[in-house]
Amino acid sequence: MLIAFSVAPTVAADDTGSVSDAVARAIRVVRESGLPHRTDAMFTTIEGEWEECMAVVKQCCDVMAETSPRVGLVLKADIRPGWTGELDGKLERLEDALSRQQDG
């Protein structure tokens, strides 16, 4: 399964509204999990089994809650039993489709 999620504190660290230090603590949890993952400007996507993915999401929320009285979580899951390597596989199929459409 793939889970794309965003976790953030509801209280910014300073007047600029930055939450990057808090988010960095959550991303450290993701990186230390050993799960395949990718982080972009808005979401982090992890790949694994249901229990291990949800455990990482929970740990990220717990880390966030250490410094914020309230935590926001946005989560989207692609549950497709029996499929692995989809963190890259989905993108490869998309690029192939775009290439076919351009050639056709």
Side-chain angles (χ1 to χ4, degrees), residues 22-43:
V23 171
R25 288 190 293 276
I27 296 304
R28 184 173 310 282
V29 169
V30 171
R31 291 182 176 177
E32 290 175 355
S33 75
L35 294 178
H37 63 277
R38 181 173 293 130
T39 299
D40 61 37
M42 296 291 293
F43 287 92

PDB file of all heavy atoms in Angstrom, residues 22-43:
ATOM      1  N   ALA A  22       9.453  21.318  13.054  1.00  0.00           N
ATOM      2  CA  ALA A  22       8.550  20.266  13.537  1.00  0.00           C
ATOM      3  C   ALA A  22       8.382  19.178  12.482  1.00  0.00           C
ATOM      4  O   ALA A  22       8.420  17.984  12.787  1.00  0.00           O
ATOM      5  CB  ALA A  22       7.197  20.867  13.908  1.00  0.00           C
ATOM      6  N   VAL A  23       8.209  19.585  11.241  1.00  0.00           N
ATOM      7  CA  VAL A  23       8.043  18.609  10.164  1.00  0.00           C
ATOM      8  C   VAL A  23       9.314  17.778  10.002  1.00  0.00           C
ATOM      9  O   VAL A  23       9.249  16.570   9.760  1.00  0.00           O
ATOM     10  CB  VAL A  23       7.639  19.306   8.847  1.00  0.00           C
ATOM     11  CG1 VAL A  23       7.669  18.334   7.673  1.00  0.00           C
ATOM     12  CG2 VAL A  23       6.255  19.934   8.985  1.00  0.00           C
ATOM     13  N   ALA A  24      10.464  18.393  10.186  1.00  0.00           N
ATOM     14  CA  ALA A  24      11.734  17.658  10.079  1.00  0.00           C
ATOM     15  C   ALA A  24      11.797  16.525  11.095  1.00  0.00           C
ATOM     16  O   ALA A  24      12.313  15.441  10.793  1.00  0.00           O
ATOM     17  CB  ALA A  24      12.918  18.612  10.259  1.00  0.00           C
ATOM     18  N   ARG A  25      11.270  16.749  12.290  1.00  0.00           N
ATOM     19  CA  ARG A  25      11.257  15.674  13.289  1.00  0.00           C
ATOM     20  C   ARG A  25      10.389  14.506  12.813  1.00  0.00           C
ATOM     21  O   ARG A  25      10.739  13.338  13.022  1.00  0.00           O
ATOM     22  CB  ARG A  25      10.778  16.217  14.644  1.00  0.00           C
ATOM     23  CG  ARG A  25      11.811  17.115  15.317  1.00  0.00           C
ATOM     24  CD  ARG A  25      11.441  17.459  16.744  1.00  0.00           C
ATOM     25  NE  ARG A  25      10.249  18.300  16.843  1.00  0.00           N
ATOM     26  CZ  ARG A  25      10.249  19.626  16.721  1.00  0.00           C
ATOM     27  NH1 ARG A  25      11.373  20.262  16.491  1.00  0.00           N
ATOM     28  NH2 ARG A  25       9.122  20.310  16.842  1.00  0.00           N
ATOM     29  N   ALA A  26       9.285  14.804  12.176  1.00  0.00           N
ATOM     30  CA  ALA A  26       8.422  13.741  11.657  1.00  0.00           C
ATOM     31  C   ALA A  26       9.092  13.010  10.493  1.00  0.00           C
ATOM     32  O   ALA A  26       9.023  11.784  10.395  1.00  0.00           O
ATOM     33  CB  ALA A  26       7.073  14.318  11.221  1.00  0.00           C
ATOM     34  N   ILE A  27       9.762  13.746   9.636  1.00  0.00           N
ATOM     35  CA  ILE A  27      10.440  13.119   8.493  1.00  0.00           C
ATOM     36  C   ILE A  27      11.570  12.216   8.971  1.00  0.00           C
ATOM     37  O   ILE A  27      11.841  11.170   8.377  1.00  0.00           O
ATOM     38  CB  ILE A  27      10.951  14.186   7.502  1.00  0.00           C
ATOM     39  CG1 ILE A  27       9.782  14.957   6.906  1.00  0.00           C
ATOM     40  CG2 ILE A  27      11.797  13.547   6.401  1.00  0.00           C
ATOM     41  CD1 ILE A  27       8.730  14.105   6.215  1.00  0.00           C
ATOM     42  N   ARG A  28      12.197  12.573  10.054  1.00  0.00           N
ATOM     43  CA  ARG A  28      13.236  11.698  10.628  1.00  0.00           C
ATOM     44  C   ARG A  28      12.623  10.341  10.998  1.00  0.00           C
ATOM     45  O   ARG A  28      13.225   9.291  10.782  1.00  0.00           O
ATOM     46  CB  ARG A  28      13.891  12.347  11.839  1.00  0.00           C
ATOM     47  CG  ARG A  28      15.041  11.528  12.398  1.00  0.00           C
ATOM     48  CD  ARG A  28      15.801  12.237  13.493  1.00  0.00           C
ATOM     49  NE  ARG A  28      16.205  13.585  13.140  1.00  0.00           N
ATOM     50  CZ  ARG A  28      17.253  13.891  12.352  1.00  0.00           C
ATOM     51  NH1 ARG A  28      17.985  12.918  11.841  1.00  0.00           N
ATOM     52  NH2 ARG A  28      17.556  15.140  12.096  1.00  0.00           N
ATOM     53  N   VAL A  29      11.414  10.357  11.551  1.00  0.00           N
ATOM     54  CA  VAL A  29      10.713   9.107  11.887  1.00  0.00           C
ATOM     55  C   VAL A  29      10.520   8.279  10.613  1.00  0.00           C
ATOM     56  O   VAL A  29      10.769   7.066  10.600  1.00  0.00           O
ATOM     57  CB  VAL A  29       9.342   9.399  12.551  1.00  0.00           C
ATOM     58  CG1 VAL A  29       8.499   8.133  12.650  1.00  0.00           C
ATOM     59  CG2 VAL A  29       9.541  10.031  13.922  1.00  0.00           C
ATOM     60  N   VAL A  30      10.091   8.927   9.547  1.00  0.00           N
ATOM     61  CA  VAL A  30       9.875   8.228   8.271  1.00  0.00           C
ATOM     62  C   VAL A  30      11.179   7.615   7.789  1.00  0.00           C
ATOM     63  O   VAL A  30      11.233   6.436   7.432  1.00  0.00           O
ATOM     64  CB  VAL A  30       9.299   9.191   7.206  1.00  0.00           C
ATOM     65  CG1 VAL A  30       9.291   8.540   5.825  1.00  0.00           C
ATOM     66  CG2 VAL A  30       7.906   9.655   7.598  1.00  0.00           C
ATOM     67  N   ARG A  31      12.222   8.383   7.767  1.00  0.00           N
ATOM     68  CA  ARG A  31      13.517   7.903   7.260  1.00  0.00           C
ATOM     69  C   ARG A  31      14.068   6.763   8.100  1.00  0.00           C
ATOM     70  O   ARG A  31      14.656   5.819   7.570  1.00  0.00           O
ATOM     71  CB  ARG A  31      14.513   9.046   7.171  1.00  0.00           C
ATOM     72  CG  ARG A  31      14.134  10.019   6.074  1.00  0.00           C
ATOM     73  CD  ARG A  31      15.110  11.132   5.927  1.00  0.00           C
ATOM     74  NE  ARG A  31      14.723  11.973   4.799  1.00  0.00           N
ATOM     75  CZ  ARG A  31      15.354  13.078   4.448  1.00  0.00           C
ATOM     76  NH1 ARG A  31      16.424  13.466   5.122  1.00  0.00           N
ATOM     77  NH2 ARG A  31      14.931  13.774   3.433  1.00  0.00           N
ATOM     78  N   GLU A  32      13.876   6.831   9.413  1.00  0.00           N
ATOM     79  CA  GLU A  32      14.376   5.773  10.283  1.00  0.00           C
ATOM     80  C   GLU A  32      13.506   4.518  10.232  1.00  0.00           C
ATOM     81  O   GLU A  32      13.930   3.454  10.685  1.00  0.00           O
ATOM     82  CB  GLU A  32      14.492   6.300  11.716  1.00  0.00           C
ATOM     83  CG  GLU A  32      15.615   7.312  11.865  1.00  0.00           C
ATOM     84  CD  GLU A  32      15.691   7.955  13.238  1.00  0.00           C
ATOM     85  OE1 GLU A  32      14.815   7.692  14.092  1.00  0.00           O
ATOM     86  OE2 GLU A  32      16.646   8.737  13.453  1.00  0.00           O
ATOM     87  N   SER A  33      12.319   4.616   9.663  1.00  0.00           N
ATOM     88  CA  SER A  33      11.412   3.461   9.589  1.00  0.00           C
ATOM     89  C   SER A  33      11.931   2.378   8.655  1.00  0.00           C
ATOM     90  O   SER A  33      11.581   1.212   8.800  1.00  0.00           O
ATOM     91  CB  SER A  33      10.023   3.897   9.111  1.00  0.00           C
ATOM     92  OG  SER A  33      10.025   4.172   7.709  1.00  0.00           O
ATOM     93  N   GLY A  34      12.745   2.760   7.681  1.00  0.00           N
ATOM     94  CA  GLY A  34      13.237   1.806   6.698  1.00  0.00           C
ATOM     95  C   GLY A  34      12.267   1.560   5.555  1.00  0.00           C
ATOM     96  O   GLY A  34      12.595   0.825   4.618  1.00  0.00           O
ATOM     97  N   LEU A  35      11.086   2.154   5.597  1.00  0.00           N
ATOM     98  CA  LEU A  35      10.124   1.973   4.510  1.00  0.00           C
ATOM     99  C   LEU A  35      10.533   2.815   3.306  1.00  0.00           C
ATOM    100  O   LEU A  35      11.085   3.910   3.472  1.00  0.00           O
ATOM    101  CB  LEU A  35       8.720   2.407   4.952  1.00  0.00           C
ATOM    102  CG  LEU A  35       8.053   1.591   6.045  1.00  0.00           C
ATOM    103  CD1 LEU A  35       6.693   2.192   6.385  1.00  0.00           C
ATOM    104  CD2 LEU A  35       7.906   0.139   5.630  1.00  0.00           C
ATOM    105  N   PRO A  36      10.245   2.324   2.097  1.00  0.00           N
ATOM    106  CA  PRO A  36      10.449   3.178   0.931  1.00  0.00           C
ATOM    107  C   PRO A  36       9.598   4.436   1.100  1.00  0.00           C
ATOM    108  O   PRO A  36       8.441   4.358   1.534  1.00  0.00           O
ATOM    109  CB  PRO A  36       9.946   2.323  -0.240  1.00  0.00           C
ATOM    110  CG  PRO A  36       9.991   0.912   0.266  1.00  0.00           C
ATOM    111  CD  PRO A  36       9.719   1.004   1.737  1.00  0.00           C
ATOM    112  N   HIS A  37      10.159   5.587   0.752  1.00  0.00           N
ATOM    113  CA  HIS A  37       9.439   6.835   0.961  1.00  0.00           C
ATOM    114  C   HIS A  37       9.915   7.907   0.001  1.00  0.00           C
ATOM    115  O   HIS A  37      10.993   7.811  -0.583  1.00  0.00           O
ATOM    116  CB  HIS A  37       9.623   7.330   2.401  1.00  0.00           C
ATOM    117  CG  HIS A  37      11.046   7.658   2.712  1.00  0.00           C
ATOM    118  ND1 HIS A  37      11.954   6.694   3.092  1.00  0.00           N
ATOM    119  CD2 HIS A  37      11.727   8.818   2.678  1.00  0.00           C
ATOM    120  CE1 HIS A  37      13.124   7.259   3.282  1.00  0.00           C
ATOM    121  NE2 HIS A  37      13.015   8.555   3.033  1.00  0.00           N
ATOM    122  N   ARG A  38       9.086   8.927  -0.132  1.00  0.00           N
ATOM    123  CA  ARG A  38       9.432  10.085  -0.946  1.00  0.00           C
ATOM    124  C   ARG A  38       8.745  11.288  -0.308  1.00  0.00           C
ATOM    125  O   ARG A  38       7.566  11.224   0.014  1.00  0.00           O
ATOM    126  CB  ARG A  38       8.949   9.893  -2.377  1.00  0.00           C
ATOM    127  CG  ARG A  38       9.278  11.031  -3.309  1.00  0.00           C
ATOM    128  CD  ARG A  38       8.933  10.706  -4.761  1.00  0.00           C
ATOM    129  NE  ARG A  38       9.808   9.644  -5.243  1.00  0.00           N
ATOM    130  CZ  ARG A  38       9.385   8.540  -5.860  1.00  0.00           C
ATOM    131  NH1 ARG A  38       8.119   8.343  -6.075  1.00  0.00           N
ATOM    132  NH2 ARG A  38      10.247   7.631  -6.277  1.00  0.00           N
ATOM    133  N   THR A  39       9.475  12.376  -0.154  1.00  0.00           N
ATOM    134  CA  THR A  39       8.913  13.601   0.414  1.00  0.00           C
ATOM    135  C   THR A  39       8.992  14.700  -0.631  1.00  0.00           C
ATOM    136  O   THR A  39      10.018  14.866  -1.290  1.00  0.00           O
ATOM    137  CB  THR A  39       9.686  14.024   1.677  1.00  0.00           C
ATOM    138  OG1 THR A  39       9.567  12.983   2.658  1.00  0.00           O
ATOM    139  CG2 THR A  39       9.142  15.317   2.256  1.00  0.00           C
ATOM    140  N   ASP A  40       7.880  15.428  -0.779  1.00  0.00           N
ATOM    141  CA  ASP A  40       7.891  16.603  -1.643  1.00  0.00           C
ATOM    142  C   ASP A  40       7.423  17.799  -0.826  1.00  0.00           C
ATOM    143  O   ASP A  40       7.328  17.715   0.397  1.00  0.00           O
ATOM    144  CB  ASP A  40       7.066  16.380  -2.914  1.00  0.00           C
ATOM    145  CG  ASP A  40       5.599  16.096  -2.648  1.00  0.00           C
ATOM    146  OD1 ASP A  40       5.017  16.676  -1.717  1.00  0.00           O
ATOM    147  OD2 ASP A  40       5.012  15.289  -3.400  1.00  0.00           O
ATOM    148  N   ALA A  41       7.107  18.888  -1.473  1.00  0.00           N
ATOM    149  CA  ALA A  41       6.778  20.125  -0.761  1.00  0.00           C
ATOM    150  C   ALA A  41       5.502  20.030   0.062  1.00  0.00           C
ATOM    151  O   ALA A  41       5.326  20.787   1.018  1.00  0.00           O
ATOM    152  CB  ALA A  41       6.652  21.283  -1.756  1.00  0.00           C
ATOM    153  N   MET A  42       4.619  19.098  -0.269  1.00  0.00           N
ATOM    154  CA  MET A  42       3.325  19.037   0.401  1.00  0.00           C
ATOM    155  C   MET A  42       3.050  17.747   1.162  1.00  0.00           C
ATOM    156  O   MET A  42       2.311  17.752   2.142  1.00  0.00           O
ATOM    157  CB  MET A  42       2.201  19.232  -0.633  1.00  0.00           C
ATOM    158  CG  MET A  42       2.211  20.592  -1.306  1.00  0.00           C
ATOM    159  SD  MET A  42       1.774  21.933  -0.188  1.00  0.00           S
ATOM    160  CE  MET A  42       0.078  21.559   0.145  1.00  0.00           C
ATOM    161  N   PHE A  43       3.593  16.627   0.691  1.00  0.00           N
ATOM    162  CA  PHE A  43       3.273  15.336   1.282  1.00  0.00           C
ATOM    163  C   PHE A  43       4.511  14.447   1.362  1.00  0.00           C
ATOM    164  O   PHE A  43       5.477  14.641   0.636  1.00  0.00           O
ATOM    165  CB  PHE A  43       2.226  14.580   0.442  1.00  0.00           C
ATOM    166  CG  PHE A  43       0.851  15.147   0.558  1.00  0.00           C
ATOM    167  CD1 PHE A  43       0.409  16.108  -0.325  1.00  0.00           C
ATOM    168  CD2 PHE A  43      -0.004  14.717   1.559  1.00  0.00           C
ATOM    169  CE1 PHE A  43      -0.860  16.648  -0.212  1.00  0.00           C
ATOM    170  CE2 PHE A  43      -1.280  15.248   1.676  1.00  0.00           C
ATOM    171  CZ  PHE A  43      -1.712  16.222   0.789  1.00  0.00           C
TER     172      PHE A  43
END
